[in-house]
Amino acid sequence: MKTTELKQVSPKFSIRQNLVSLAFATVIGLGVMSSPVAAQQGEAPKPAVVVEPVTTQVVEEERIFAGRTEAISRVDLIARVGGFLEPLKFKEGQSVKKGDVLFVIRQDPYQFAVEQAQANLESAQAQVDLAKLDFDRKQRLVDRDTVAVSELDVARANLKEAEAARSLREADLELAKLDLSYTEILAPTDGIIGSATFKEGAYVTAASGTLATVTSMDPIRVTFPVPQDLIIRSQRNNYESTENLVLRIRLSDGEFYEHEGRLEFLEATANPGTDTVTARAQFPNPDRMLFDRQLVDVVASPKDAEPQLVISQAAMLLDQEGSFVLVVNDKGEVEQKRITIGEQVSGLVIVRSGLEEGDQVITSGIQKVRPGQVVDARLAGQS
């Protein structure tokens, strides 16, 4: 039977072995304990933001106003002499040209008056001729001392009286001719004639009122109210002139009228209730697409507008000092820049000053960053 031998372990060896084990355990323990701490003490990730470059664009700002068409000329036809109407010379609602005969008042009495006045004038002319002969004869006799000078004076007076009577008869003839001309009522302008108040056989006078109305249709005027602040801005930009302003009409079906208009004038008096000024524009209307007193939308926009610096509305920020944006510079750092803005159109803001074309403004992630911070910037639309 074998006896197990116990070996005596050297103290030096035991101490050395324990030290090695302790060091190994310490290294492992430190490694396990230090890994999450290291992760916590490392650099934090950069905040991600979306940027857009400042661009130059032509921004056409449209203004829409509620307008109403208005005939430039609307003339009521009235009788200037009395009489019975002949058959109408037009169809109600038809187009008429300036000078067209529309109504005729029976002319017989006025034609007779003209002939009578003509006869009276011829009689007066005969009296003038007779008085002139008598005056010439008395003049010769006075020169020969055959008759007294007083007889020449009487002849001279008779001649002047005859000439005055002739002038009166000439005036009567002109008046009779004028009355005769009034028996034909003419179209005062091109346009559309409405319904006739009186028909054939009716007796009319100047007191009868309107016989019919002629409304001019081409061109046609459109009136619309404009806020005073917009007028001031337009005057500063010289948009009130015809050359720098485009006026269009949008009809009730949503389509634009094919002809552009031009601004005629602004009323001198503002409406105190609405703080607006009435503008009047003129549009061609050759096809009669527009009617008098029709409701339309007037769309005004600047013509040949200059390119301007613009940014997205999402990039603009406001505080007590005004407008500003956050910009990412070449080093990836966030900078704050104060800007002066203009109009805001279709999601864009016109920048008057404070930025340059190509500057990268932050449009998304603004709430996560502050000036001086380094960020991870990506262009809008990039993944």
Side-chain angles (χ1 to χ4, degrees):
M1 185 174 178
K2 290 185 179 180
T3 302
T4 303
E5 295 182 0
L6 295 175
K7 292 184 180 180
Q8 185 176 7
V9 180
S10 172
K12 293 182 179 181
F13 179 80
S14 177
I15 294 172
R16 185 183 300 112
Q17 187 178 19
N18 290 336
L19 290 174
V20 172
S21 300
L22 181 60
F24 182 74
T26 301
V27 171
I28 293 176
L30 289 174
V32 173
M33 294 177 61
S34 65
S35 57
V37 175
Q40 292 179 4
Q41 295 178 352
E43 293 184 359
K46 301 175 183 178
V49 295
V50 177
V51 297
E52 290 183 3
V54 178
T55 58
T56 301
Q57 297 184 27
V58 174
V59 181
E60 294 188 1
E61 181 187 4
E62 290 186 345
R63 297 281 182 170
I64 301 176
F65 308 95
R68 187 178 292 275
T69 60
E70 179 183 280
I72 295 177
S73 173
R74 191 185 301 108
V75 182
D76 293 333
L77 305 177
I78 62 174
R80 303 180 71 173
V81 293
F84 293 95
L85 288 179
E86 299 285 350
L88 301 183
K89 303 299 182 181
F90 63 92
K91 292 183 178 180
E92 296 171 322
Q94 79 172 54
S95 298
V96 296
K97 295 290 186 181
K98 182 178 181 179
D100 288 350
V101 178
L102 303 177
F103 292 93
V104 176
I105 296 172
R106 187 176 179 183
Q107 296 179 329
D108 294 349
Y110 298 97
Q111 185 65 49
F112 294 151
V114 169
E115 294 174 359
Q116 184 179 14
Q118 181 68 46
N120 291 337
L121 175 61
E122 292 175 357
S123 176
Q125 182 63 49
Q127 294 298 321
V128 169
D129 294 341
L130 180 61
K132 184 70 169 59
L133 291 174
D134 184 57
F135 175 78
D136 292 341
R137 182 170 58 255
K138 294 291 179 62
Q139 181 71 56
R140 290 192 296 271
L141 294 176
V142 168
D143 292 340
R144 298 174 185 175
D145 294 328
T146 305
V147 297
V149 175
S150 59
E151 293 188 20
L152 178 62
D153 294 338
V154 172
R156 181 182 293 107
N158 291 337
L159 175 59
K160 289 184 178 181
E161 183 178 1
E163 290 176 342
R166 180 185 62 185
S167 298
L168 180 60
R169 297 297 176 243
E170 287 177 345
D172 290 341
L173 177 60
E174 292 301 320
L175 182 59
K177 288 181 178 179
L178 187 61
D179 287 342
L180 177 61
S181 69
Y182 288 157
T183 60
E184 290 187 344
I185 301 175
L186 311 179
T189 184
D190 295 350
I192 302 293
I193 187 167
S195 59
T197 308
F198 299 91
K199 303 297 193 297
E200 178 185 359
Y203 186 83
V204 295
T205 65
S208 299
T210 302
L211 305 182
T213 301
V214 176
T215 304
S216 65
M217 300 296 294
D218 183 26
I220 199 166
R221 179 177 291 152
V222 178
T223 62
F224 53 96
V226 181
Q228 290 192 50
D229 59 335
L230 180 59
I231 294 176
I232 294 172
R233 291 201 301 270
S234 298
Q235 289 173 341
R236 288 174 178 170
N237 294 323
N238 197 29
Y239 285 168
E240 80 281 4
S241 64
T242 305
E243 294 77 11
N244 295 314
L245 190 65
V246 176
L247 294 178
R248 294 180 295 166
I249 288 178
R250 187 160 55 201
L251 302 174
S252 57
D253 60 358
E255 298 294 329
F256 278 102
Y257 182 59
E258 61 178 324
H259 299 286
E260 294 181 355
R262 61 180 181 84
L263 185 65
E264 282 189 312
F265 63 92
L266 299 172
E267 293 286 0
T269 304
N271 186 327
T274 60
D275 198 29
T276 60
V277 176
T278 300
R280 300 183 183 275
Q282 190 178 116
F283 287 80
N285 191 28
D287 301 325
R288 310 290 166 81
M289 288 285 292
L290 302 177
F291 300 90
D292 186 29
R293 300 177 183 177
Q294 177 182 358
L295 283 174
V296 295
D297 286 335
V298 179
V299 181
S301 59
K303 183 179 181 181
D304 300 329
E306 295 292 332
Q308 303 182 78
L309 287 178
V310 295
I311 60 173
S312 172
Q313 284 182 336
M316 188 180 69
L317 300 171
L318 294 172
D319 61 12
Q320 293 181 348
E321 298 182 20
S323 304
F324 69 95
V325 294
L326 296 180
V327 178
V328 178
N329 61 22
D330 296 339
K331 299 178 181 179
E333 297 175 344
V334 178
E335 295 182 3
Q336 180 182 358
K337 289 191 175 183
R338 294 285 172 182
I339 59 174
T340 303
I341 64 172
E343 301 295 329
Q344 300 185 35
V345 183
S346 303
L348 298 177
V349 179
I350 297 174
V351 179
R352 302 297 186 194
S353 63
L355 292 175
E356 295 181 359
E357 186 175 4
D359 286 347
Q360 304 292 323
V361 296
I362 300 176
T363 58
S364 180
I366 298 176
Q367 68 279 2
K368 301 185 298 184
V369 299
R370 62 184 183 276
Q373 189 174 7
V374 178
V375 295
D376 178 16
R378 291 176 297 167
L379 286 174
Q382 291 184 351
S383 57

